[in-house]
Amino acid sequence: MSFAIAQAIIWFGDTLTIMLIVRAVLSWLPMSHEDGIFGFVFKLIGMFTEPFVRPFRWIIQRSPLGGGGMMIDFSPLLTLITIRFLTPILVNLILSM
């Protein structure tokens, strides 16, 4: 049972990582994020990743480095780093039970 939970955690971390990378790439492209297939994909990915990105965006905006003047949103990068850091820890914790 613990192996299945560990596999689910790995799968979830990998899926979220891919979605964050796609979100970042789509945000750099000069296109409309409102309509068309790219708009649909961008909204769908945003719907799944925003709950994980929002806390980091909130922390960055309230830090001395953040504020309204930042041109680049680093919150997806911090989310990605955190996921890649926490996934092996959670898997090892589950497998050791």
Side-chain angles (χ1 to χ4, degrees):
M1 179 69 171
S2 62
F3 181 74
I5 296 172
Q7 283 297 110
I9 291 171
I10 292 170
W11 179 84
F12 182 75
D14 290 346
T15 303
L16 197 53
T17 297
I18 292 167
M19 291 175 85
L20 285 166
I21 292 170
V22 170
R23 175 184 172 145
V25 169
L26 287 177
S27 71
W28 296 334
L29 296 176
M31 62 181 180
S32 172
H33 295 252
E34 301 298 321
D35 48 75
I37 187 70
F38 289 117
F40 174 75
V41 171
F42 191 77
K43 287 178 186 178
L44 186 66
I45 289 175
M47 184 176 66
F48 286 113
T49 59
E50 188 62 28
F52 299 98
V53 174
R54 188 179 305 123
F56 291 101
R57 188 176 297 124
W58 185 84
I59 291 168
I60 290 172
Q61 287 176 347
R62 278 141 187 85
S63 74
L65 299 174
M70 289 189 67
M71 294 183 66
I72 299 175
D73 184 12
F74 288 104
S75 54
L77 177 63
L78 290 176
T79 306
L80 181 68
I81 291 169
T82 303
I83 290 168
R84 300 314 290 175
F85 177 75
L86 288 179
T87 299
I89 293 172
L90 289 173
V91 167
N92 287 334
L93 182 66
I94 294 294
L95 290 177
S96 67
M97 290 182 161

Coordinates of all heavy atoms in Angstrom, one line a residue:
M1 N 0.8 -1.2 0.0 CA 0.0 0.0 0.0 C 0.9 1.3 0.0 O 0.6 2.2 -0.7 CB -0.9 0.0 1.2 CG -1.8 1.1 1.3 SD -3.0 1.1 0.0 CE -4.1 2.4 0.6
S2 N 1.9 1.2 0.8 CA 2.8 2.4 0.9 C 3.5 2.7 -0.5 O 3.8 3.8 -0.8 CB 3.8 2.3 2.0 OG 4.6 1.2 1.8
F3 N 3.8 1.6 -1.2 CA 4.4 1.8 -2.5 C 3.5 2.5 -3.5 O 3.9 3.3 -4.2 CB 4.9 0.4 -3.1 CG 5.5 0.5 -4.4 CD1 6.8 1.0 -4.5 CD2 4.9 0.2 -5.6 CE1 7.5 1.1 -5.7 CE2 5.5 0.3 -6.8 CZ 6.8 0.8 -6.9
A4 N 2.2 2.2 -3.4 CA 1.2 2.8 -4.3 C 1.1 4.3 -4.0 O 1.0 5.1 -4.9 CB -0.1 2.1 -4.2
I5 N 1.1 4.6 -2.7 CA 1.0 6.0 -2.3 C 2.3 6.8 -2.7 O 2.2 7.9 -3.2 CB 0.8 6.1 -0.7 CG1 -0.5 5.5 -0.4 CG2 0.9 7.6 -0.3 CD1 -0.8 5.4 1.1
A6 N 3.4 6.1 -2.6 CA 4.7 6.7 -3.0 C 4.7 7.0 -4.5 O 5.1 8.1 -5.0 CB 5.9 5.9 -2.6
Q7 N 4.2 6.0 -5.3 CA 4.1 6.2 -6.7 C 3.1 7.3 -7.1 O 3.4 8.1 -8.0 CB 3.6 4.9 -7.4 CG 4.7 3.9 -7.5 CD 5.8 4.3 -8.4 OE1 6.9 4.6 -7.9 NE2 5.6 4.5 -9.7
A8 N 2.0 7.5 -6.3 CA 1.1 8.5 -6.6 C 1.7 9.9 -6.3 O 1.5 10.9 -7.0 CB -0.2 8.3 -5.7
I9 N 2.5 10.0 -5.2 CA 3.2 11.2 -4.9 C 4.2 11.6 -6.0 O 4.3 12.8 -6.4 CB 3.9 11.1 -3.5 CG1 2.8 11.1 -2.4 CG2 4.8 12.3 -3.3 CD1 3.4 10.8 -1.1
I10 N 4.9 10.6 -6.5 CA 5.9 10.9 -7.6 C 5.1 11.3 -8.8 O 5.5 12.3 -9.5 CB 6.7 9.6 -7.8 CG1 7.7 9.3 -6.7 CG2 7.5 9.7 -9.2 CD1 8.3 8.0 -6.7
W11 N 4.1 10.6 -9.2 CA 3.3 11.0 -10.4 C 2.7 12.4 -10.2 O 2.8 13.2 -11.2 CB 2.2 10.0 -10.6 CG 1.3 10.3 -11.7 CD1 1.5 10.0 -13.0 CD2 0.1 11.0 -11.8 NE1 0.5 10.4 -13.8 CE2 -0.4 11.1 -13.1 CE3 -0.7 11.6 -10.8 CZ2 -1.5 11.8 -13.4 CZ3 -1.8 12.3 -11.1 CH2 -2.3 12.3 -12.4
F12 N 2.2 12.7 -9.1 CA 1.6 14.1 -8.9 C 2.7 15.1 -9.0 O 2.5 16.2 -9.6 CB 0.9 14.1 -7.5 CG 0.3 15.4 -7.2 CD1 -0.9 15.8 -7.8 CD2 0.9 16.3 -6.3 CE1 -1.5 17.0 -7.6 CE2 0.3 17.6 -6.1 CZ -0.9 17.9 -6.7
G13 N 3.9 14.9 -8.4 CA 5.0 15.8 -8.5 C 5.5 16.0 -9.9 O 5.7 17.2 -10.3
D14 N 5.6 14.9 -10.6 CA 6.0 15.0 -12.0 C 5.0 15.8 -12.9 O 5.4 16.6 -13.7 CB 6.3 13.6 -12.6 CG 7.6 13.0 -12.0 OD1 8.3 13.7 -11.3 OD2 7.7 11.8 -12.2
T15 N 3.7 15.4 -12.7 CA 2.7 16.1 -13.5 C 2.6 17.6 -13.2 O 2.5 18.4 -14.1 CB 1.3 15.5 -13.2 OG1 1.4 14.1 -13.4 CG2 0.2 16.1 -14.0
L16 N 2.7 18.0 -11.9 CA 2.7 19.4 -11.5 C 4.0 20.1 -12.1 O 3.9 21.2 -12.5 CB 2.6 19.5 -10.0 CG 2.2 20.8 -9.5 CD1 0.9 21.3 -10.1 CD2 2.1 20.8 -8.0
T17 N 5.1 19.4 -12.1 CA 6.3 20.0 -12.7 C 6.1 20.3 -14.1 O 6.5 21.4 -14.6 CB 7.5 19.0 -12.4 OG1 7.7 18.9 -11.0 CG2 8.8 19.6 -13.1
I18 N 5.6 19.4 -14.9 CA 5.4 19.6 -16.3 C 4.4 20.7 -16.5 O 4.6 21.6 -17.4 CB 4.9 18.3 -17.0 CG1 6.0 17.2 -17.0 CG2 4.4 18.5 -18.4 CD1 5.6 15.8 -17.3
M19 N 3.3 20.7 -15.7 CA 2.4 21.8 -15.9 C 2.9 23.2 -15.6 O 2.6 24.2 -16.3 CB 1.1 21.5 -15.0 CG 0.3 20.3 -15.5 SD -1.0 19.9 -14.4 CE -2.3 21.0 -15.0
L20 N 3.8 23.3 -14.6 CA 4.4 24.5 -14.3 C 5.4 25.0 -15.4 O 5.4 26.2 -15.7 CB 5.2 24.4 -13.0 CG 4.3 24.4 -11.7 CD1 5.2 24.0 -10.5 CD2 3.7 25.8 -11.5
I21 N 6.1 24.1 -16.0 CA 7.0 24.4 -17.1 C 6.2 24.9 -18.3 O 6.5 25.9 -18.9 CB 7.9 23.2 -17.5 CG1 8.9 23.0 -16.3 CG2 8.6 23.5 -18.8 CD1 9.7 21.7 -16.4
V22 N 5.1 24.2 -18.6 CA 4.2 24.6 -19.8 C 3.6 25.9 -19.5 O 3.5 26.8 -20.4 CB 3.1 23.5 -20.0 CG1 2.1 24.0 -21.0 CG2 3.8 22.2 -20.5
R23 N 3.2 26.2 -18.2 CA 2.6 27.5 -17.9 C 3.6 28.6 -18.1 O 3.3 29.6 -18.6 CB 2.2 27.4 -16.4 CG 1.7 28.7 -15.9 CD 1.4 28.6 -14.4 NE 1.1 29.9 -13.9 CZ 0.2 30.2 -12.9 NH1 -0.5 29.2 -12.4 NH2 0.0 31.4 -12.5
A24 N 4.9 28.4 -17.7 CA 5.9 29.4 -17.8 C 6.2 29.6 -19.3 O 6.3 30.8 -19.8 CB 7.2 29.0 -17.1
V25 N 6.3 28.6 -20.1 CA 6.6 28.8 -21.6 C 5.4 29.5 -22.2 O 5.6 30.4 -23.0 CB 6.8 27.4 -22.2 CG1 6.9 27.5 -23.7 CG2 8.2 26.8 -21.7
L26 N 4.2 29.1 -21.9 CA 3.0 29.8 -22.5 C 2.9 31.2 -22.1 O 2.5 32.0 -22.9 CB 1.7 29.0 -22.2 CG 1.5 27.7 -22.8 CD1 0.2 27.1 -22.3 CD2 1.4 27.8 -24.3
S27 N 3.3 31.5 -20.9 CA 3.3 32.9 -20.5 C 4.3 33.8 -21.2 O 4.1 35.0 -21.3 CB 3.5 33.1 -19.0 OG 4.8 32.8 -18.6
W28 N 5.3 33.2 -21.8 CA 6.3 34.0 -22.5 C 6.0 34.2 -23.9 O 6.5 35.1 -24.6 CB 7.7 33.3 -22.5 CG 8.3 33.1 -21.1 CD1 8.1 33.9 -20.0 CD2 9.2 32.1 -20.7 NE1 8.8 33.4 -18.9 CE2 9.5 32.3 -19.3 CE3 9.8 31.0 -21.3 CZ2 10.3 31.5 -18.6 CZ3 10.6 30.2 -20.6 CH2 10.9 30.5 -19.3
L29 N 5.1 33.4 -24.5 CA 4.7 33.6 -25.9 C 3.8 34.8 -26.1 O 2.9 35.0 -25.3 CB 4.0 32.3 -26.4 CG 4.8 31.0 -26.3 CD1 4.0 29.8 -26.7 CD2 6.0 31.1 -27.2
P30 N 4.1 35.5 -27.2 CA 3.2 36.7 -27.5 C 1.9 36.3 -28.2 O 1.8 36.4 -29.4 CB 4.1 37.5 -28.4 CG 5.0 36.5 -29.1 CD 5.2 35.4 -28.1
M31 N 1.0 35.9 -27.4 CA -0.3 35.4 -28.0 C -1.4 35.8 -27.0 O -1.2 36.2 -25.8 CB -0.3 33.9 -28.2 CG -0.2 33.2 -26.9 SD -0.1 31.4 -27.3 CE 0.0 30.8 -25.6
S32 N -2.6 35.7 -27.5 CA -3.8 36.0 -26.6 C -4.0 34.8 -25.7 O -4.1 33.6 -26.1 CB -5.0 36.2 -27.5 OG -6.2 36.3 -26.7
H33 N -4.1 35.1 -24.4 CA -4.4 34.0 -23.4 C -5.9 33.9 -23.2 O -6.3 33.3 -22.2 CB -3.6 34.4 -22.1 CG -2.2 34.3 -22.3 ND1 -1.4 33.3 -21.8 CD2 -1.3 35.1 -22.9 CE1 -0.1 33.5 -22.1 NE2 -0.1 34.6 -22.8
E34 N -6.7 34.6 -24.0 CA -8.1 34.6 -23.8 C -8.9 33.7 -24.6 O -9.9 33.1 -24.2 CB -8.7 36.0 -24.0 CG -8.0 37.1 -23.1 CD -8.3 36.8 -21.6 OE1 -9.4 36.4 -21.3 OE2 -7.4 37.0 -20.8
D35 N -8.5 33.4 -25.9 CA -9.3 32.6 -26.8 C -8.4 31.7 -27.6 O -7.2 31.7 -27.5 CB -10.0 33.5 -27.8 CG -9.2 34.6 -28.4 OD1 -8.4 34.2 -29.3 OD2 -9.3 35.7 -28.0
G36 N -9.0 30.7 -28.2 CA -8.3 29.8 -29.0 C -7.8 28.6 -28.2 O -8.1 28.5 -27.0
I37 N -7.2 27.7 -28.8 CA -6.7 26.5 -28.1 C -5.6 26.8 -27.1 O -5.6 26.2 -26.0 CB -6.2 25.4 -29.1 CG1 -5.9 24.1 -28.4 CG2 -5.0 25.9 -29.8 CD1 -7.1 23.4 -27.9
F38 N -4.7 27.8 -27.4 CA -3.7 28.2 -26.4 C -4.3 28.8 -25.2 O -3.9 28.6 -24.1 CB -2.7 29.1 -27.0 CG -1.8 28.4 -28.0 CD1 -1.8 28.7 -29.4 CD2 -1.0 27.3 -27.6 CE1 -1.0 28.1 -30.3 CE2 -0.2 26.7 -28.5 CZ -0.2 27.1 -29.9
G39 N -5.4 29.6 -25.4 CA -6.1 30.2 -24.3 C -6.7 29.2 -23.4 O -6.7 29.3 -22.2
F40 N -7.3 28.2 -24.0 CA -8.0 27.1 -23.3 C -6.9 26.3 -22.4 O -7.1 26.0 -21.3 CB -8.7 26.1 -24.2 CG -9.3 24.9 -23.5 CD1 -10.4 25.0 -22.7 CD2 -8.6 23.7 -23.7 CE1 -10.9 23.9 -22.1 CE2 -9.1 22.6 -23.0 CZ -10.3 22.7 -22.2
V41 N -5.8 26.0 -23.1 CA -4.7 25.2 -22.4 C -4.2 26.1 -21.2 O -3.9 25.6 -20.1 CB -3.6 24.8 -23.4 CG1 -2.4 24.2 -22.7 CG2 -4.2 23.8 -24.4
F42 N -3.9 27.4 -21.5 CA -3.4 28.3 -20.5 C -4.3 28.4 -19.3 O -3.9 28.3 -18.1 CB -3.1 29.6 -21.1 CG -2.3 30.5 -20.2 CD1 -1.0 30.4 -20.1 CD2 -2.9 31.5 -19.5 CE1 -0.2 31.2 -19.2 CE2 -2.2 32.4 -18.6 CZ -0.8 32.2 -18.5
K43 N -5.6 28.5 -19.5 CA -6.6 28.6 -18.4 C -6.7 27.3 -17.7 O -6.8 27.2 -16.4 CB -8.0 29.0 -19.0 CG -8.1 30.4 -19.4 CD -9.4 30.7 -20.0 CE -9.5 32.1 -20.5 NZ -10.8 32.4 -21.1
L44 N -6.7 26.1 -18.4 CA -6.7 24.8 -17.8 C -5.5 24.6 -16.9 O -5.7 24.2 -15.7 CB -6.9 23.7 -18.8 CG -7.1 22.3 -18.3 CD1 -8.4 22.2 -17.7 CD2 -7.0 21.3 -19.5
I45 N -4.3 24.9 -17.4 CA -3.1 24.7 -16.6 C -3.1 25.6 -15.4 O -2.7 25.3 -14.3 CB -1.9 24.8 -17.5 CG1 -1.8 23.6 -18.4 CG2 -0.6 24.9 -16.6 CD1 -0.7 23.7 -19.4
G46 N -3.5 26.9 -15.7 CA -3.6 27.9 -14.6 C -4.5 27.4 -13.5 O -4.3 27.7 -12.3
M47 N -5.6 26.8 -13.8 CA -6.6 26.4 -12.9 C -6.0 25.3 -11.9 O -6.3 25.3 -10.7 CB -7.8 25.8 -13.6 CG -9.0 25.4 -12.7 SD -10.4 24.8 -13.6 CE -9.8 23.3 -14.3
F48 N -5.2 24.4 -12.5 CA -4.5 23.4 -11.6 C -3.3 23.9 -10.9 O -3.0 23.4 -9.8 CB -4.1 22.2 -12.5 CG -5.3 21.4 -12.9 CD1 -5.7 21.3 -14.3 CD2 -6.1 20.7 -12.0 CE1 -6.8 20.6 -14.7 CE2 -7.2 19.9 -12.4 CZ -7.5 19.9 -13.8
T49 N -2.5 24.8 -11.5 CA -1.3 25.2 -10.8 C -1.4 26.4 -9.9 O -0.6 26.6 -9.0 CB -0.2 25.5 -11.9 OG1 -0.7 26.5 -12.7 CG2 0.1 24.3 -12.7
E50 N -2.4 27.2 -10.1 CA -2.5 28.5 -9.3 C -2.6 28.2 -7.8 O -2.0 29.0 -7.1 CB -3.7 29.3 -9.8 CG -3.8 30.7 -9.2 CD -2.6 31.6 -9.5 OE1 -2.0 31.4 -10.5 OE2 -2.4 32.4 -8.7
P51 N -3.3 27.2 -7.3 CA -3.3 27.0 -5.9 C -1.9 26.7 -5.3 O -1.7 27.0 -4.1 CB -4.2 25.8 -5.7 CG -5.1 25.8 -6.9 CD -4.3 26.3 -8.0
F52 N -1.0 26.2 -6.1 CA 0.3 26.0 -5.6 C 1.2 27.2 -5.8 O 2.2 27.4 -5.0 CB 0.9 24.8 -6.3 CG 0.2 23.5 -6.1 CD1 -0.7 23.1 -7.1 CD2 0.3 22.8 -5.0 CE1 -1.5 21.9 -6.9 CE2 -0.4 21.6 -4.8 CZ -1.3 21.2 -5.8
V53 N 1.0 28.0 -6.8 CA 1.8 29.2 -7.1 C 1.4 30.4 -6.2 O 2.2 31.2 -5.8 CB 1.7 29.5 -8.6 CG1 2.4 30.8 -8.9 CG2 2.2 28.4 -9.4
R54 N 0.1 30.5 -5.9 CA -0.4 31.7 -5.2 C 0.3 32.0 -3.9 O 0.6 33.1 -3.6 CB -1.9 31.5 -5.0 CG -2.6 32.8 -4.4 CD -4.1 32.7 -4.2 NE -4.7 32.3 -5.4 CZ -5.5 31.2 -5.6 NH1 -5.7 30.4 -4.5 NH2 -6.1 30.9 -6.7
P55 N 0.5 30.9 -3.0 CA 1.2 31.3 -1.7 C 2.6 31.8 -1.9 O 3.0 32.8 -1.2 CB 1.3 29.9 -1.0 CG 0.3 29.1 -1.6 CD 0.1 29.6 -3.0
F56 N 3.4 31.4 -2.9 CA 4.7 31.9 -3.2 C 4.6 33.3 -3.8 O 5.5 34.1 -3.4 CB 5.5 31.0 -4.2 CG 5.8 29.7 -3.6 CD1 5.1 28.5 -3.8 CD2 6.9 29.6 -2.7 CE1 5.4 27.3 -3.2 CE2 7.2 28.4 -2.1 CZ 6.5 27.2 -2.4
R57 N 3.6 33.6 -4.6 CA 3.4 34.9 -5.1 C 3.1 35.9 -4.0 O 3.6 37.0 -3.9 CB 2.3 34.9 -6.2 CG 2.2 36.3 -6.9 CD 1.2 36.3 -8.0 NE 1.5 35.3 -9.0 CZ 0.7 34.3 -9.4 NH1 -0.5 34.2 -8.9 NH2 1.2 33.5 -10.4
W58 N 2.3 35.4 -3.0 CA 1.9 36.3 -1.9 C 3.2 36.6 -1.0 O 3.4 37.7 -0.6 CB 0.9 35.5 -1.1 CG 0.4 36.3 0.1 CD1 -0.6 37.2 0.0 CD2 0.8 36.3 1.4 NE1 -0.8 37.8 1.3 CE2 0.1 37.2 2.2 CE3 1.8 35.6 2.1 CZ2 0.2 37.4 3.5 CZ3 2.0 35.8 3.4 CH2 1.2 36.7 4.1
I59 N 4.0 35.6 -0.8 CA 5.2 35.8 0.0 C 6.2 36.7 -0.7 O 6.8 37.6 -0.1 CB 5.9 34.4 0.3 CG1 5.1 33.6 1.2 CG2 7.3 34.6 0.8 CD1 5.5 32.1 1.3
I60 N 6.4 36.5 -2.0 CA 7.3 37.4 -2.8 C 6.8 38.8 -2.8 O 7.6 39.8 -2.6 CB 7.5 36.9 -4.3 CG1 8.2 35.6 -4.2 CG2 8.2 37.9 -5.1 CD1 8.3 34.9 -5.6
Q61 N 5.5 39.1 -3.0 CA 5.0 40.4 -3.0 C 5.2 41.1 -1.7 O 5.3 42.4 -1.6 CB 3.5 40.4 -3.4 CG 3.3 40.1 -4.8 CD 1.8 40.0 -5.2 OE1 1.0 39.9 -4.3 NE2 1.6 40.0 -6.5
R62 N 5.2 40.4 -0.6 CA 5.3 41.0 0.7 C 6.8 41.1 1.2 O 7.0 41.6 2.3 CB 4.5 40.3 1.8 CG 3.0 40.8 1.7 CD 2.0 39.7 1.8 NE 0.7 40.2 1.6 CZ 0.1 40.3 0.4 NH1 0.8 40.0 -0.7 NH2 -1.1 40.7 0.3
S63 N 7.7 40.5 0.5 CA 9.1 40.5 0.8 C 9.7 41.8 0.3 O 9.2 42.5 -0.6 CB 9.8 39.3 0.2 OG 10.0 39.5 -1.2
P64 N 10.9 42.2 0.8 CA 11.6 43.4 0.3 C 12.0 43.3 -1.2 O 12.1 44.3 -1.8 CB 12.9 43.5 1.2 CG 12.6 42.6 2.4 CD 11.6 41.6 2.0
L65 N 12.1 42.1 -1.7 CA 12.4 41.9 -3.1 C 11.3 42.0 -4.0 O 11.4 42.3 -5.2 CB 13.0 40.5 -3.3 CG 14.3 40.1 -2.6 CD1 14.7 38.7 -2.7 CD2 15.4 41.0 -3.0
G66 N 10.1 41.9 -3.5 CA 8.9 41.9 -4.3 C 8.3 43.2 -4.5 O 9.0 44.2 -4.7
G67 N 7.0 43.3 -4.5 CA 6.3 44.6 -4.7 C 5.7 44.6 -6.1 O 5.8 43.6 -6.9
G68 N 5.2 45.7 -6.5 CA 4.5 45.8 -7.8 C 5.5 46.1 -8.9 O 5.1 46.0 -10.1
G69 N 6.8 46.3 -8.7 CA 7.7 46.7 -9.7 C 8.4 45.5 -10.4 O 9.2 45.7 -11.3
M70 N 8.1 44.3 -10.0 CA 8.8 43.1 -10.6 C 8.2 42.8 -12.0 O 7.1 42.7 -12.1 CB 8.8 41.9 -9.7 CG 9.6 42.1 -8.5 SD 9.7 40.5 -7.5 CE 10.6 39.5 -8.6
M71 N 9.1 42.7 -13.0 CA 8.7 42.4 -14.3 C 8.5 40.9 -14.5 O 7.8 40.4 -15.4 CB 9.6 42.9 -15.3 CG 9.6 44.5 -15.3 SD 10.7 45.1 -16.6 CE 9.8 44.6 -18.1
I72 N 9.3 40.1 -13.8 CA 9.2 38.6 -13.9 C 8.6 38.0 -12.6 O 9.0 38.4 -11.5 CB 10.7 38.1 -14.1 CG1 11.2 38.6 -15.4 CG2 10.6 36.5 -14.2 CD1 12.7 38.2 -15.7
D73 N 7.7 37.1 -12.8 CA 7.1 36.4 -11.7 C 7.9 35.2 -11.4 O 7.9 34.2 -12.2 CB 5.6 36.1 -12.1 CG 4.9 35.4 -10.9 OD1 5.4 35.4 -9.8 OD2 3.8 34.9 -11.2
F74 N 8.6 35.1 -10.3 CA 9.4 34.0 -9.9 C 8.6 33.0 -9.1 O 9.2 32.0 -8.7 CB 10.6 34.5 -9.1 CG 11.6 35.2 -9.9 CD1 11.7 36.6 -9.9 CD2 12.5 34.5 -10.7 CE1 12.6 37.3 -10.6 CE2 13.4 35.2 -11.5 CZ 13.5 36.6 -11.5
S75 N 7.4 33.2 -8.8 CA 6.6 32.2 -8.0 C 6.5 30.9 -8.6 O 6.6 29.9 -7.9 CB 5.3 32.8 -7.6 OG 4.5 33.2 -8.7
P76 N 6.3 30.7 -9.9 CA 6.3 29.4 -10.5 C 7.6 28.6 -10.3 O 7.7 27.4 -10.1 CB 6.0 29.6 -12.0 CG 5.3 30.9 -12.0 CD 5.9 31.7 -11.0
L77 N 8.7 29.4 -10.4 CA 10.0 28.8 -10.2 C 10.2 28.3 -8.8 O 10.7 27.2 -8.5 CB 11.1 29.8 -10.6 CG 12.6 29.3 -10.4 CD1 12.9 28.1 -11.2 CD2 13.6 30.4 -10.6
L78 N 9.8 29.1 -7.8 CA 9.9 28.7 -6.4 C 9.0 27.5 -6.1 O 9.3 26.6 -5.3 CB 9.5 29.9 -5.5 CG 10.5 31.0 -5.5 CD1 10.0 32.1 -4.6 CD2 11.9 30.5 -4.9
T79 N 7.8 27.5 -6.8 CA 6.9 26.3 -6.6 C 7.6 25.1 -7.2 O 7.5 24.0 -6.5 CB 5.6 26.6 -7.3 OG1 5.0 27.8 -6.9 CG2 4.6 25.5 -7.1
L80 N 8.2 25.2 -8.3 CA 8.9 24.1 -9.0 C 10.0 23.5 -8.1 O 10.1 22.3 -7.8 CB 9.4 24.5 -10.3 CG 10.1 23.4 -11.1 CD1 9.1 22.4 -11.6 CD2 10.8 24.1 -12.3
I81 N 10.8 24.4 -7.5 CA 11.9 24.0 -6.7 C 11.4 23.3 -5.4 O 11.9 22.3 -5.0 CB 12.8 25.3 -6.3 CG1 13.5 25.7 -7.5 CG2 13.7 24.9 -5.2 CD1 14.2 27.1 -7.4
T82 N 10.3 23.9 -4.8 CA 9.7 23.3 -3.6 C 9.2 21.9 -3.9 O 9.4 21.0 -3.1 CB 8.6 24.2 -3.1 OG1 9.2 25.5 -2.8 CG2 8.0 23.6 -1.8
I83 N 8.5 21.7 -5.0 CA 7.9 20.4 -5.4 C 9.1 19.4 -5.6 O 9.0 18.3 -5.1 CB 7.1 20.5 -6.6 CG1 5.8 21.3 -6.3 CG2 6.7 19.1 -7.2 CD1 5.0 21.7 -7.5
R84 N 10.1 19.8 -6.3 CA 11.2 18.9 -6.6 C 12.0 18.6 -5.3 O 12.7 17.5 -5.2 CB 12.2 19.5 -7.6 CG 11.5 19.8 -9.0 CD 10.7 18.6 -9.5 NE 11.4 17.5 -9.9 CZ 10.9 16.4 -10.3 NH1 9.6 16.2 -10.4 NH2 11.6 15.3 -10.7
F85 N 11.9 19.5 -4.3 CA 12.6 19.2 -3.0 C 11.8 18.3 -2.1 O 12.3 17.4 -1.4 CB 12.9 20.6 -2.3 CG 13.5 20.5 -1.0 CD1 14.9 20.1 -0.9 CD2 12.8 20.7 0.1 CE1 15.4 20.0 0.4 CE2 13.4 20.6 1.4 CZ 14.7 20.3 1.5
L86 N 10.4 18.6 -2.1 CA 9.6 17.9 -1.1 C 9.2 16.5 -1.6 O 8.9 15.6 -0.8 CB 8.3 18.7 -0.9 CG 8.5 19.9 0.0 CD1 7.2 20.7 0.2 CD2 9.1 19.6 1.4
T87 N 9.1 16.3 -2.9 CA 8.6 15.0 -3.4 C 9.5 13.8 -2.9 O 8.9 12.8 -2.3 CB 8.6 15.0 -4.9 OG1 7.6 16.0 -5.4 CG2 8.2 13.6 -5.5
P88 N 10.8 13.8 -3.0 CA 11.6 12.7 -2.5 C 11.5 12.6 -1.0 O 11.5 11.4 -0.4 CB 13.1 13.0 -2.9 CG 13.0 14.2 -3.7 CD 11.7 14.8 -3.7
I89 N 11.4 13.7 -0.3 CA 11.2 13.6 1.2 C 9.9 12.9 1.6 O 9.9 12.0 2.4 CB 11.3 15.0 1.8 CG1 12.7 15.6 1.6 CG2 10.9 15.0 3.3 CD1 12.8 17.0 2.0
L90 N 8.8 13.2 0.9 CA 7.5 12.6 1.2 C 7.6 11.1 0.8 O 7.0 10.3 1.5 CB 6.4 13.3 0.4 CG 6.0 14.7 0.9 CD1 5.0 15.3 0.0 CD2 5.5 14.6 2.3
V91 N 8.2 10.8 -0.3 CA 8.3 9.4 -0.8 C 9.1 8.6 0.2 O 8.6 7.5 0.6 CB 8.9 9.3 -2.2 CG1 9.3 7.9 -2.6 CG2 7.9 9.9 -3.2
N92 N 10.2 9.1 0.7 CA 11.0 8.3 1.7 C 10.3 8.2 3.0 O 10.4 7.2 3.6 CB 12.3 9.0 1.9 CG 13.3 8.8 0.7 OD1 13.2 7.9 0.0 ND2 14.2 9.8 0.5
L93 N 9.5 9.2 3.4 CA 8.7 9.2 4.6 C 7.7 8.1 4.5 O 7.5 7.3 5.4 CB 8.1 10.5 4.9 CG 7.3 10.6 6.2 CD1 8.2 10.5 7.4 CD2 6.6 12.0 6.2
I94 N 7.0 8.0 3.4 CA 5.9 7.0 3.1 C 6.5 5.6 3.1 O 5.9 4.7 3.7 CB 5.1 7.3 1.9 CG1 4.3 8.6 2.0 CG2 4.2 6.2 1.5 CD1 3.3 8.6 3.0
L95 N 7.6 5.5 2.4 CA 8.2 4.1 2.3 C 8.8 3.6 3.6 O 9.0 2.4 3.8 CB 9.2 4.1 1.1 CG 8.7 4.3 -0.3 CD1 9.8 4.3 -1.3 CD2 7.7 3.1 -0.6
S96 N 9.2 4.5 4.5 CA 9.8 4.1 5.7 C 8.7 3.7 6.8 O 9.1 3.1 7.8 CB 10.7 5.2 6.3 OG 9.9 6.3 6.7
M97 N 7.5 3.9 6.5 CA 6.4 3.6 7.4 C 6.1 2.1 7.4 O 6.2 1.4 6.5 CB 5.1 4.4 7.1 CG 5.3 5.8 7.5 SD 3.7 6.6 7.2 CE 3.9 8.1 8.1

